[in-house]
Amino acid sequence: MDMAQEEEVADGGGVVAVVSLADEDENDETTIATTDATAIFSHNDLFAAVEESILSCQPVVDFFYHPNNQIENAKNAANTMTIRQRRDAICDTVKSPKFKKARARLLFSGLIPLLKKVVEEKSYIPTDNDEDDEDDEDDVRKDNNTLQKLGLMVELTPSILFVRCCAFLVEAYLDGILAKQQTSRRSSQQPPQKIDIIDEIFPVAEILHDLLFPLQSCLTAVKIKKEAMATQSAIFSMCEKWWHGNFEHRNQMVIALVPLLLVKSFEDTAQKNDIKRLCSIQEALDSLDFEDEGILMVKMFLLRTIGDRLFLQSVEGRKFITHLFLLDDASLVMDLHRAVKAEIVMGENKDILNAYAEIYYNAWKASTDIKEDDDDNNEGMGTIQTSIEENALQDFMFQVIHAANPSTAKSVRTVLDKFYLHKKSPHVEAMLHRMFGPLLWRALSASNSRIRQQASVVLVDTFPLGGWAEVCVKRSVKALMSLMGDDVPDVRVAGSRAAAKILSLFWVAVPSADIRTLLNQIIVKHASDASSSAVRAAAVTTITTLLQEEKTHAVLRPLLPSIGNLIHDKTEKVRLAVVNMLLSIKKIRGMKYYHVVPANHLLARLAEEGRGRNNPRGNVAASLSNLLSNSFFPTGSKKAMTDIINRTLRLLTDSPGAAVTFYKNAYSQLSVNSISRLIAALMKCLCFFVVEEKKKNCEDASNISLLLPEGEAIEYKGSGLSSTAMMATIAESVSILWESIEAQLKDSQNENAKQMLMEEFSGNVLTEVYCHFETKFENDNLEDSKLVDCLRACIAILNCAGKVDESKISGLRAHIIGELSNKSDMPAERRIANLSPNVALLCAWGMTEDVARYLASSISRIFAGDTDERVNGSFTLNVLGSSRKSLPRSVKKKVAADEAVPLPNLDIDVCLGILGHILKGSYPASALARESILKSETAFNTIVSALQTAKRAAEQMIKPRIGEDADMSPTMIRHIGISIECYGRLLIHKEAMKGEIPMKLTPEAKSLMNWVTNTIVPALAKLASQDNDFSRFISYVCPISSAIAGKNRISSPIVGNPGDTSFVSGRGSLNSFEDTSKFVSPRAAAITVMSSVLCTVAEWSLLRYVGDSFVSDQISKWCKLLECSDTSVRKALLPWLFHIAITSLENEGDSALLEEVLLSMKNADPSKAEVEIIVYAVATVMSLRDERILKAAISTIVNVTRIIIVQASEIDALFLDKAGSCMRNVIESVLSEEKGSVILAQCLIDEHKASSVRECLLKELHLHSPKTDALDEILSKWVAENTTNDTAAPVDDDKENKSDNQNDSEPIAA
């Protein structure tokens, strides 16, 4: 803390006031005028001031801060002197060589009684009267009006300033003695010795030192806080000077200094300078007696430094803590170590842990150095080293191996890293061997696998423990082999990593025989470990680590291909480890990664990463793309774009799937400009191939040929130039590349790249290419595979068009709108697939509300009874370059820009199909169209209103009819079902946009379910009792994107593409029933509506919802329909109800809905199709991984079986027959599964023994379940129960069936 400054000012009347200058800067302009400093006062003036202070300390204060009568004369002097300069001048007088001992004795002997008087009277402490007397304060303010104008604060007592003056004088005298000593020492070259001083100065210094704690209490007084701090700082400086000057009795000057400096270092305003002052007197701690009870407070402060960030972050602070470990007190070392452990357990960051590492190492190193310097004569120093090792380091070494929390072991290892880095030092090596020797080898063979894992890390850090003797190395290698052959996979992984680090660091030092042994274990056994993918991944990572050492290349080169085969491992982390290894090999001169894994395997792997459940932008795909980036897009000025195009075309030809995945990750490997140039080049290639195909078919290609600059040719040596599949892949690649940099193109720094793409794709380029593939798609003679390729190309081109301003593309919008009215002769399925991207593009071009009205008009018209599709007027749009009604397939004519073009009315099948694709599609255009509709309230409400008309149509269709009106068109039923399903999906998507988790069921969706419960369910229950067989008219096919697909395969706002599998075998058309008759009954409409609403509920339930009692109540009411005798009703509803019940079971562990479904089927005689549904549902339940959920499901099955058995009327029936046909299939499905059988046995064995259902199910388990060790163990307990109590008959109720008695007579093997 900087020493404060003081100033005294007198008014004209001679009234003296002491002013606080604790915050004054050293360059303060407030001055007291004087002539020559030496002429104003001398030591005689100082003596005079002391002599005058017999009754009061005021004269001394006046002498320092106010030269009395000289003030008025000095005002006119030419020279001025600041307060600090005056104080320094007085102190210089005391420092002067002329200030002999006699004068010093006279000065300090005069100060002693004054100081004692101040201490006895405690006049430096403000009284209560001073604090409360407002009148006196007012008088002082009036008398010192001049001072107030100067901005100075008036103080009430000079005693505290007198104490500060005494501290200045003592320090000045000490400085003078030190100056003399340094002069004599330089002349005589004598070492520094303890300095003797006069007897009179020590009492003054002692009194000042004893005032430190009282002054600390004065810091709470507001009026003198600053003066008290300044005075305390002056005494601090005096005590430090006494200590550093090595004066007599210096130990007496630090008793209060040390704890107070510690306290100041813990304050919020503490700075590193406070830590430096404390560190400079750290040797003073050696004189403290830590066994004294009075020092407990100091000890507490010392322990607090362990967790203080200011100490740990400064060099001086770490040195201070290091010195604490060197104090000759074993209990203090133990307390310090416990404090460090507490900080480590709290999870400190690495910087703090590194600070602890430096402290422990420096403390241990200093203890050994001191012992060497004293040549073992000082036994205490040896005791300090022993104390550090036994009380601190030994505990850390135990914790790094045996810590229960791995993070704690990691933190302790960080602290010990400093020792590991210096293990080449003989002293450190000996210490590590001495400390770790009793722990490590025993831990490597411990029964706890976690201890073995952590010991493997220590084995690496300390290798070779005990030195490079052959015995020590052999022992370490043997330990590594034991770890790599461990039964626990995690230990084998740890052993593999340990071997990698040891061999990479000590390849030359380890014997070759041991190297072969370790490599054989890694490459032959670990790389082919079928039981653990982590072990295989660790084996590959081990080889990657070894490749960093150049000396290993000759040995590893022929072994790498066997590791490369893991590129096709089923586990992603193994594949990723192989790719990382190849990336490391790529950087090694003289080694080629394609010699380890052939190029065709790399392309096959890259293509596979983009299929199925693999993430095409995952770590493996991205790393593979990085590996192959130079092969397919070489950089450098010498690489021409022609070469890049040829490489690209070869990739597209050889492996289209790999090309698509590569381009999806190109944004992470290439710059925006490079990708933009590649997009433009690929588009030219596509145009070139389109021209070639047109020429081959003798078609006019004059327009599109102009897109290629004159004289430019594409040199491609591959095959299949006109291949439709390759052209489709090129188009997809262009779309993927553009999509990957779309966000970056919005930055101003990429404006040139964006402008270049706009120029390349403007005009009629996209229109002509799109028309070419669309014409091929409409060719009925084209193969199915080529139809798909044409559709891929059209979608990709439209995706690209959506990224370009519509006004820059000639005729494409007019062409698309024209095609909407020109598809009446095309099959519905092809119309849906072909027109959905077109509509999505219109939404991307800002026509969302127009498209919504266009779709809503067609939907509302069909349900309003207007079956003539051309009765209503059509919407019109202003389209550039368009004709009025039917537009040509290729836009070659220019039409007026403002000409109005009608937006035609589409067939209802096409409208609903387009809407279905928009709601479930995962490709970018569909997602964009869906987002546009959901964000536009007008578009959303327009479509919702149109879809709600299907509810009114359904109500009309399910009404009882007579005569010719009893039957109706199946097409209308299909339209109603699809509309209601789209309505539900639209509500789910809208709610999902809020981003709330879990997603709630909207009021509109609840209203839809209420409508079904109150209107459809009663009508269907009534219609199901009719005699006519619904199955004669239609065969059920699951609606769009069956919700009964595997987990996360359903179409939804969150989940991706829907799955095709369901409880029902076979796959039908999208959003449709297969009609086998021209007319169907109202029951078909009711079933269709129920299935569509159930599909919506299933979609919502799959999104990890929180249980909703409303939904559960509605589903329970719907389950009552399963009790009807109509097979068609059960077959239609059962898949959805099972799905919702299983989802509720998986998400919440709630089996109530599953129980409701099973009980509703208790009297049903399921058909073959229903049996398939039941078996599939049970298999889905058995595939769940959570054992708790499985137990809940099987307990529900047992409970339902017991309820049915109790209510059964057929006493003589067999057990499974008495349970009912449905439960018979359920139980048989459970018995056929190994996991299900074991869990069923566990549930039964824990039940009450007197249960006939329990006994019968256990017998069925014994007779029909797959035999496993776990099941045999459970059944053996059951056999033992029957053996010990042969006469006991399990009875549930009063009716014991004969079939049970027959089963009892069957032989049961033990």
Side-chain angles (χ1 to χ4, degrees):
M1 181 181 298
D2 292 334
M3 189 172 295
Q5 302 173 6
E6 298 78 31
E7 178 181 19
E8 181 185 78
V9 179
D11 60 9
V15 178
V16 177
V18 179
V19 182
S20 171
L21 295 174
D23 294 331
E24 180 190 353
D25 189 85
E26 292 187 4
N27 296 323
D28 198 324
E29 295 180 356
T30 303
T31 62
I32 293 179
T34 184
T35 53
D36 188 4
T38 58
I40 293 177
F41 51 80
S42 65
H43 56 273
N44 293 325
D45 299 325
L46 180 59
F47 293 154
V50 174
E51 290 176 359
E52 292 176 5
S53 302
I54 297 176
L55 299 177
S56 171
C57 59
Q58 187 68 52
V60 174
V61 175
D62 291 344
F63 180 73
F64 264 84
Y65 297 101
H66 180 53
N68 293 332
N69 296 330
Q70 298 180 12
I71 270 267
E72 295 299 328
N73 297 329
K75 287 182 180 179
N76 299 322
N79 299 326
T80 60
M81 180 181 291
T82 65
I83 300 299
R84 189 178 189 100
Q85 289 173 342
R86 179 180 180 81
R87 186 193 68 196
D88 292 342
I90 297 173
C91 291
D92 288 342
T93 303
V94 179
K95 294 179 186 178
S96 173
K98 298 179 180 179
F99 199 80
K100 303 299 182 180
K101 289 185 179 181
R103 294 174 178 175
R105 288 191 177 96
L106 180 61
L107 173 63
F108 292 110
S109 61
L111 293 177
I112 292 174
L114 294 176
L115 275 176
K116 288 182 178 181
K117 182 179 180 181
V118 169
V119 173
E120 290 174 358
E121 295 178 356
K122 297 183 179 179
S123 57
Y124 57 89
I125 300 177
T127 62
D128 294 338
N129 292 334
D130 291 336
E131 294 288 342
D132 300 330
D133 193 347
E134 297 181 358
D135 294 337
D136 291 345
E137 291 182 5
D138 292 338
D139 293 340
V140 171
R141 292 192 186 97
K142 293 178 182 179
D143 293 337
N144 296 283
N145 187 41
T146 304
L147 302 180
Q148 294 293 337
K149 292 180 179 179
L150 295 175
L152 304 176
M153 295 179 58
V154 178
E155 187 53 71
L156 300 178
T157 175
S159 298
I160 196 168
L161 294 181
F162 173 74
V163 173
R164 194 185 314 172
C165 293
C166 293
F168 291 153
L169 293 173
V170 173
E171 184 179 1
Y173 181 70
L174 296 179
D175 284 335
I177 295 177
L178 290 176
K180 297 176 184 178
Q181 291 290 331
Q182 289 177 356
T183 303
S184 61
R185 192 179 299 125
R186 282 196 298 267
S187 61
S188 61
Q189 299 295 327
Q190 294 179 356
Q193 298 177 354
K194 186 170 291 187
I195 302 174
D196 296 331
I197 56 175
I198 59 177
D199 296 336
E200 288 77 7
I201 194 174
F202 177 73
V204 176
E206 187 176 25
I207 294 173
L208 293 174
H209 172 268
D210 293 341
L211 284 174
L212 285 175
F213 279 114
L215 286 172
Q216 183 71 15
S217 64
C218 291
L219 297 181
T220 58
V222 177
K223 291 187 176 182
I224 64 168
K225 179 178 179 180
K226 295 182 179 180
E227 285 70 23
M229 291 178 63
T231 303
Q232 191 183 52
S233 179
I235 299 176
F236 282 161
S237 180
M238 180 208 73
C239 293
E240 289 175 287
K241 185 71 69 174
W242 197 295
W243 173 266
H244 294 305
N246 199 20
F247 294 101
E248 282 186 315
H249 312 295
R250 72 171 188 165
N251 290 340
Q252 301 296 322
M253 294 294 110
V254 294
I255 295 175
L257 178 65
V258 171
L260 288 177
L261 286 180
L262 281 169
V263 170
K264 289 188 175 297
S265 66
F266 297 139
E267 293 176 353
D268 295 337
T269 57
Q271 299 177 352
K272 289 186 178 181
N273 188 51
D274 298 320
I275 307 299
K276 291 180 180 179
R277 295 178 67 181
L278 187 60
C279 183
S280 65
I281 61 168
Q282 63 185 13
E283 290 82 4
L285 298 173
D286 298 339
S287 61
L288 300 180
D289 184 8
F290 289 96
E291 296 181 358
D292 187 359
E293 294 182 358
I295 208 169
L296 290 178
M297 184 62 68
V298 177
K299 190 174 182 179
M300 184 188 70
F301 288 146
L302 294 176
L303 293 176
R304 188 176 170 184
T305 60
I306 291 296
D308 191 271
R309 298 296 174 271
L310 193 57
F311 276 87
L312 296 175
Q313 293 172 358
S314 62
V315 176
E316 292 78 10
R318 294 193 293 271
K319 288 181 179 179
F320 181 79
I321 298 175
T322 300
H323 187 76
L324 297 182
F325 280 92
L326 298 175
L327 298 178
D328 191 9
D329 185 70
S331 64
L332 179 62
V333 173
M334 295 176 64
D335 292 339
L336 290 169
H337 178 64
R338 279 194 289 267
V340 173
K341 285 176 62 178
E343 295 294 326
I344 290 177
V345 172
M346 291 171 62
E348 296 298 332
N349 58 47
K350 193 166 184 179
D351 292 336
I352 301 301
L353 294 176
N354 289 333
Y356 289 139
E358 179 182 342
I359 290 169
Y360 273 92
Y361 177 76
N362 291 338
W364 177 85
K365 187 70 169 61
S367 67
T368 58
D369 293 342
I370 293 175
K371 185 177 179 182
E372 289 181 359
D373 294 341
D374 290 351
D375 197 18
D376 295 337
N377 291 330
N378 191 338
E379 296 181 359
M381 294 299 105
T383 305
I384 292 176
Q385 180 184 356
T386 303
S387 176
I388 293 175
E389 290 182 358
E390 294 181 355
N391 297 327
L393 296 181
Q394 184 75 76
D395 182 45
F396 271 156
M397 293 172 181
F398 179 85
Q399 290 296 326
V400 79
I401 296 175
H402 295 85
N405 190 344
S407 63
T408 301
K410 184 178 180 181
S411 298
V412 175
R413 179 172 177 254
T414 303
V415 176
L416 293 176
D417 272 345
K418 196 77 171 179
F419 293 91
Y420 300 149
L421 291 175
H422 295 84
K423 65 181 178 181
K424 294 182 180 180
S425 169
H427 295 291
V428 177
E429 182 183 10
M431 185 274 293
L432 291 175
H433 183 253
R434 185 169 62 253
M435 296 287 101
F436 272 120
L439 300 174
L440 180 58
W441 307 115
R442 188 181 305 161
L444 288 169
S445 58
S447 58
N448 191 317
S449 62
R450 174 181 48 78
I451 294 177
R452 298 199 298 274
Q453 283 181 255
Q454 293 171 174
S456 68
V457 179
V458 176
L459 179 64
V460 176
D461 293 333
T462 60
F463 184 88
L465 189 62
W468 285 104
E470 183 178 356
V471 176
C472 298
V473 176
K474 287 289 185 184
R475 189 175 188 181
S476 298
V477 172
K478 183 179 179 181
L480 286 174
M481 291 298 298
S482 176
L483 290 170
M484 289 192 289
D486 199 279
D487 295 334
V488 180
D490 289 341
V491 179
R492 296 201 296 275
V493 171
S496 184
R497 291 173 180 168
K501 293 180 181 178
I502 290 175
L503 290 179
S504 63
L505 293 174
F506 307 104
W507 181 269
V508 179
V510 178
S512 57
D514 294 333
I515 291 177
R516 284 195 299 270
T517 302
L518 294 173
L519 288 179
N520 182 70
Q521 184 75 16
I522 294 169
I523 295 177
V524 176
K525 295 185 178 180
H526 280 200
S528 58
D529 193 331
S531 63
S532 174
S533 60
V535 176
R536 299 195 299 275
V540 180
T541 304
T542 298
I543 300 302
T544 305
T545 304
L546 292 177
L547 287 170
Q548 297 174 3
E549 173 58 45
E550 185 177 358
K551 297 181 178 62
T552 65
H553 296 171
V555 176
L556 294 177
R557 193 190 306 272
L559 304 176
L560 291 177
S562 61
I563 296 291
N565 293 331
L566 294 175
I567 189 70
H568 300 297
D569 194 278
K570 63 180 180 180
T571 306
E572 181 181 2
K573 63 181 177 182
V574 180
R575 301 196 301 270
L576 180 61
V578 175
V579 177
N580 289 335
M581 180 187 71
L582 296 177
L583 287 171
S584 299
I585 293 174
K586 186 179 180 181
K587 301 175 183 177
I588 299 174
R589 180 176 297 180
M591 297 182 71
K592 304 298 181 182
Y593 66 88
Y594 47 80
H595 291 162
V596 178
V597 180
N600 58 333
H601 284 261
L602 293 174
L603 293 177
R605 182 70 260 162
L606 186 59
E608 190 63 28
E609 289 298 324
R611 301 191 187 105
R613 296 184 179 182
N614 296 324
N615 184 4
R617 288 187 172 91
N619 293 330
V620 178
S623 299
L624 271 174
S625 300
N626 184 21
L627 182 71
L628 299 173
S629 60
N630 289 340
S631 299
F632 299 111
F633 198 93
T635 57
S637 57
K638 296 182 180 180
K639 299 296 181 181
M641 183 54 66
T642 303
D643 183 30
I644 295 176
I645 292 175
N646 290 332
R647 288 171 182 253
T648 302
L649 294 178
R650 187 162 58 250
L651 174 62
L652 292 170
T653 303
D654 296 341
S655 182
V660 171
T661 307
F662 176 79
Y663 292 131
K664 285 183 178 180
N665 294 278
Y667 70 95
S668 61
Q669 316 298 332
L670 305 174
S671 65
V672 175
N673 290 330
S674 299
I675 294 178
S676 300
R677 290 191 297 113
L678 181 59
I679 291 173
L682 287 175
M683 193 62 197
K684 290 182 179 180
C685 291
L686 181 59
C687 295
F688 173 76
F689 293 141
V690 170
V691 170
E692 290 294 317
E693 189 167 84
K694 282 180 173 288
K695 290 180 179 179
K696 182 179 179 180
N697 297 331
C698 300
E699 298 177 6
D700 181 18
S702 57
N703 286 348
I704 197 170
S705 63
L706 296 177
L707 298 175
L708 294 174
E710 184 178 357
E712 181 176 338
I714 297 177
E715 298 178 0
Y716 175 64
K717 301 178 181 179
S719 59
L721 289 178
S722 60
S723 170
T724 305
M726 189 188 67
M727 288 191 290
T729 305
I730 294 176
E732 284 184 336
S733 301
V734 171
S735 176
I736 290 170
L737 287 169
W738 200 335
E739 182 184 355
S740 67
I741 61 172
E742 186 175 9
Q744 296 172 320
L745 287 174
K746 296 178 181 179
D747 295 339
S748 57
Q749 60 183 358
N750 297 320
E751 185 63 30
N752 293 335
K754 180 179 179 181
Q755 189 63 30
M756 186 265 291
L757 289 177
M758 294 299 109
E759 292 176 359
E760 292 289 341
F761 285 83
S762 61
N764 66 339
V765 179
L766 293 175
T767 306
E768 293 291 341
V769 174
Y770 174 78
C771 291
H772 172 73
F773 288 106
E774 187 183 43
T775 304
K776 294 182 64 176
F777 180 78
E778 295 173 359
N779 187 357
D780 294 333
N781 298 326
L782 206 61
E783 300 175 1
D784 291 341
S785 60
K786 291 187 177 182
L787 286 175
V788 174
D789 293 334
C790 290
L791 181 60
R792 288 168 50 207
C794 289
I795 292 175
I797 293 169
L798 292 179
N799 286 343
C800 294
K803 297 174 177 60
V804 182
D805 189 350
E806 179 269 333
S807 60
K808 295 183 179 181
I809 302 178
S810 302
L812 184 57
R813 186 171 75 169
H815 177 77
I816 289 174
I817 295 175
E819 289 300 310
L820 293 178
S821 61
N822 203 19
K823 300 289 185 180
S824 58
D825 57 342
M826 183 178 289
E829 284 300 316
R830 292 177 64 180
R831 278 183 287 170
I832 293 171
N834 194 33
L835 295 181
S836 297
N838 299 2
V839 174
L841 176 60
L842 295 178
C843 292
W845 279 345
M847 299 170 58
T848 304
E849 295 182 2
D850 296 318
V851 170
R853 290 194 298 270
Y854 157 65
L855 295 176
S857 173
S858 299
I859 296 172
S860 300
R861 186 181 64 256
I862 195 68
F863 294 132
D866 184 5
T867 57
D868 187 358
E869 298 184 2
R870 302 186 182 274
V871 171
N872 294 341
S874 55
F875 298 107
T876 60
L877 298 170
N878 289 330
V879 184
L880 294 176
S882 61
S883 60
R884 173 69 61 180
K885 276 287 182 181
S886 178
L887 300 177
R889 298 185 182 279
S890 60
V891 183
K892 300 179 180 178
K893 298 180 180 180
K894 293 184 179 180
V895 189
D898 295 332
E899 188 174 356
V901 178
L903 194 61
N905 292 316
L906 279 183
D907 179 74
I908 183 65
D909 285 325
V910 178
C911 284
L912 292 177
I914 290 172
L915 187 58
H917 273 259
I918 290 176
L919 291 177
K920 80 160 191 174
S922 60
Y923 65 90
S926 234
L928 178 62
R930 180 169 62 245
E931 185 178 355
S932 301
I933 292 174
L934 294 174
K935 286 184 177 180
S936 172
E937 291 296 331
T938 302
F940 176 78
N941 293 330
T942 300
I943 295 178
V944 165
S945 299
L947 293 175
Q948 283 181 323
T949 59
K951 293 169 58 178
R952 294 191 293 270
E955 292 175 358
Q956 295 295 327
M957 294 190 71
I958 62 176
K959 290 181 179 179
R961 304 187 181 200
I962 57 176
E964 296 180 356
D965 293 336
D967 293 330
M968 58 204 71
S969 170
T971 303
M972 180 62 70
I973 295 177
R974 182 172 62 250
H975 295 161
I976 291 174
I978 297 172
S979 298
I980 292 177
E981 182 180 340
C982 288
Y983 173 65
R985 287 178 182 274
L986 202 58
L987 295 178
I988 293 177
H989 280 291
K990 186 68 173 179
E991 184 67 19
M993 285 190 66
K994 298 179 181 179
E996 297 179 357
I997 299 176
M999 192 178 71
K1000 300 178 182 179
L1001 198 65
T1002 61
E1004 294 82 1
K1006 290 184 178 181
S1007 175
L1008 179 63
M1009 295 182 69
N1010 273 326
W1011 173 73
V1012 170
T1013 302
N1014 299 328
T1015 304
I1016 304 300
V1017 172
L1020 183 58
K1022 185 176 180 180
L1023 292 170
S1025 61
Q1026 297 176 1
D1027 295 334
N1028 57 329
D1029 185 7
F1030 175 67
S1031 61
R1032 291 187 301 105
F1033 302 105
I1034 66 171
S1035 60
Y1036 175 77
V1037 179
C1038 282
I1040 182 172
S1041 64
S1042 169
I1044 313 301
K1047 181 179 179 182
N1048 290 344
R1049 299 293 299 279
I1050 183 174
S1051 173
S1052 69
I1054 298 174
V1055 186
N1057 289 326
D1060 294 327
T1061 58
S1062 67
F1063 287 126
V1064 183
S1065 60
R1067 178 184 178 188
S1069 57
L1070 297 174
N1071 296 83
S1072 65
F1073 288 91
E1074 293 179 349
D1075 55 328
T1076 57
S1077 177
K1078 185 176 180 181
F1079 298 100
V1080 293
S1081 67
R1083 183 171 41 172
I1087 293 177
T1088 301
V1089 172
M1090 282 294 302
S1091 300
S1092 297
V1093 175
L1094 279 169
C1095 176
T1096 301
V1097 178
E1099 290 267 356
W1100 173 73
S1101 67
L1102 196 63
L1103 301 181
R1104 297 291 179 188
Y1105 74 103
V1106 173
D1108 192 325
S1109 59
F1110 172 81
V1111 176
S1112 300
D1113 293 342
Q1114 299 297 317
I1115 298 297
S1116 298
K1117 295 176 182 178
W1118 298 354
C1119 287
K1120 302 301 180 183
L1121 292 173
L1122 297 177
E1123 298 177 359
C1124 70
S1125 59
D1126 196 323
T1127 304
S1128 299
V1129 174
R1130 294 199 305 268
K1131 186 173 67 173
L1133 305 184
L1134 196 58
W1136 301 116
L1137 293 173
F1138 264 131
H1139 169 78
I1140 297 170
I1142 293 172
T1143 303
S1144 176
L1145 177 68
E1146 185 178 6
N1147 291 349
E1148 304 177 76
D1150 183 8
S1151 59
L1153 287 180
L1154 179 62
E1155 181 175 350
E1156 193 75 32
V1157 173
L1158 295 177
L1159 285 175
S1160 300
M1161 292 286 293
K1162 63 181 180 181
N1163 297 322
D1165 185 14
S1167 63
K1168 182 178 179 181
E1170 293 174 80
V1171 170
E1172 292 180 5
I1173 296 172
I1174 293 170
V1175 171
Y1176 190 90
V1178 176
T1180 302
V1181 173
M1182 293 299 104
S1183 66
L1184 300 178
R1185 296 183 178 182
D1186 193 333
E1187 188 173 334
R1188 178 184 58 84
I1189 294 177
L1190 280 176
K1191 286 184 178 180
I1194 291 179
S1195 296
T1196 299
I1197 292 172
V1198 174
N1199 186 47
V1200 171
T1201 304
R1202 181 177 290 107
I1203 294 173
I1204 295 176
I1205 292 294
V1206 170
Q1207 297 176 355
S1209 58
E1210 300 178 3
I1211 300 177
D1212 296 335
L1214 296 175
F1215 171 74
L1216 291 180
D1217 293 339
K1218 191 162 57 173
S1221 180
C1222 174
M1223 291 308 301
R1224 180 188 183 95
N1225 288 289
V1226 171
I1227 294 173
E1228 288 177 349
S1229 299
V1230 173
L1231 295 177
S1232 64
E1233 297 278 348
E1234 290 185 4
K1235 183 167 63 173
S1237 300
V1238 173
I1239 295 178
L1240 176 60
Q1242 290 174 349
C1243 294
L1244 293 173
I1245 205 68
D1246 295 334
E1247 282 191 3
H1248 192 272
K1249 296 182 180 178
S1251 170
S1252 61
V1253 173
R1254 173 182 181 269
E1255 293 299 310
C1256 293
L1257 286 174
L1258 285 171
K1259 291 174 183 177
E1260 293 293 337
L1261 278 169
H1262 173 75
L1263 294 175
H1264 304 295
S1265 295
K1267 296 298 181 288
T1268 60
D1269 294 339
L1271 181 61
D1272 291 342
E1273 182 180 355
I1274 297 174
L1275 291 178
S1276 63
K1277 297 180 181 179
W1278 170 63
V1279 173
E1281 293 174 4
N1282 293 336
T1283 303
T1284 55
N1285 192 5
D1286 292 335
T1287 59
V1291 178
D1292 262 3
D1293 46 59
D1294 297 335
K1295 300 178 181 180
E1296 186 66 29
N1297 59 70
K1298 297 180 181 179
S1299 62
D1300 290 340
N1301 294 332
Q1302 295 173 359
N1303 289 336
D1304 289 340
S1305 63
E1306 295 176 357
I1308 302 297

